[in-house]
Amino acid sequence: MNGEEGVFHYFSLLSTQIINVVTRPWEKKSKALSEKYVLLGDMVPDVLIMTSLLRFSPSNFVNNWGTPQLLIHGSKDYRLPETESIGAFHALQQRGIRSRLVIFPDENHWVLKQGNSLKWHYEVFRWFDEFVGDSS
């Protein structure tokens, strides 16, 4: 699971994302959003954003999950807390869905170290072999 691809429980990431949006004045979109927050006050994060985050959070759709999932996470990924992958993995396990969680304690958002890269590729190809198989 990559940070850009999804968050298991949006609500838990809310405060860090609002801080990121409001404190990036060099980006036009963020500046416009920042001005919007100032104009509308604290009501926006409390009502509109939280409602949307809760409504679309993947954690609300766990009962619909059925596809096997490989979750790979770097512990030093400050974009997405490690607990997001652990929570998703736990939900998959509770539902009896085939899943595997691989955590790299010394990696961040990208797996960059040579040995870890070999392990990452091993895990991904092993997963593909198991669930996709040989197409011929």
Side-chain angles (χ1 to χ4, degrees):
M1 174 180 279
N2 289 329
E4 282 83 28
E5 293 174 2
V7 176
F8 177 63
H9 195 285
Y10 288 158
F11 186 74
S12 66
L13 203 60
L14 174 67
S15 62
T16 58
Q17 291 306 331
I18 287 177
I19 289 168
N20 284 341
V21 167
V22 174
T23 58
R24 290 183 178 171
W26 59 88
E27 295 177 8
K28 287 181 183 179
K29 181 179 177 184
S30 296
K31 186 174 182 181
L33 286 173
S34 179
E35 290 168 0
K36 185 176 182 181
Y37 285 119
V38 172
L39 292 175
L40 296 174
D42 293 336
M43 181 185 74
V44 174
D46 291 344
V47 178
L48 301 176
I49 293 176
M50 286 185 176
T51 302
S52 293
L53 290 176
L54 290 173
R55 180 174 163 209
F56 296 110
S57 177
S59 63
N60 291 329
F61 302 99
V62 170
N63 289 333
N64 299 333
W65 291 6
T67 305
Q69 293 185 38
L70 171 63
L71 299 105
I72 300 177
H73 200 103
S75 295
K76 293 182 177 180
D77 183 350
Y78 301 112
R79 300 179 195 182
L80 185 67
E82 188 175 64
T83 53
E84 295 296 312
S85 293
I86 294 170
F89 177 72
H90 181 71
L92 290 161
Q93 292 289 295
Q94 289 293 311
R95 294 195 31 81
I97 299 170
R98 295 282 308 268
S99 52
R100 180 160 172 77
L101 174 63
V102 180
I103 295 178
F104 291 97
D106 57 343
E107 294 287 0
N108 57 53
H109 195 69
W110 303 102
V111 176
L112 301 174
K113 296 180 179 169
Q114 184 179 11
N116 291 341
S117 178
L118 291 171
K119 173 70 172 166
W120 183 93
H121 282 85
Y122 169 79
E123 294 291 344
V124 170
F125 290 134
R126 184 174 80 161
W127 189 262
F128 285 161
D129 285 344
E130 185 174 349
F131 291 100
V132 178
D134 189 2
S135 62
S136 57

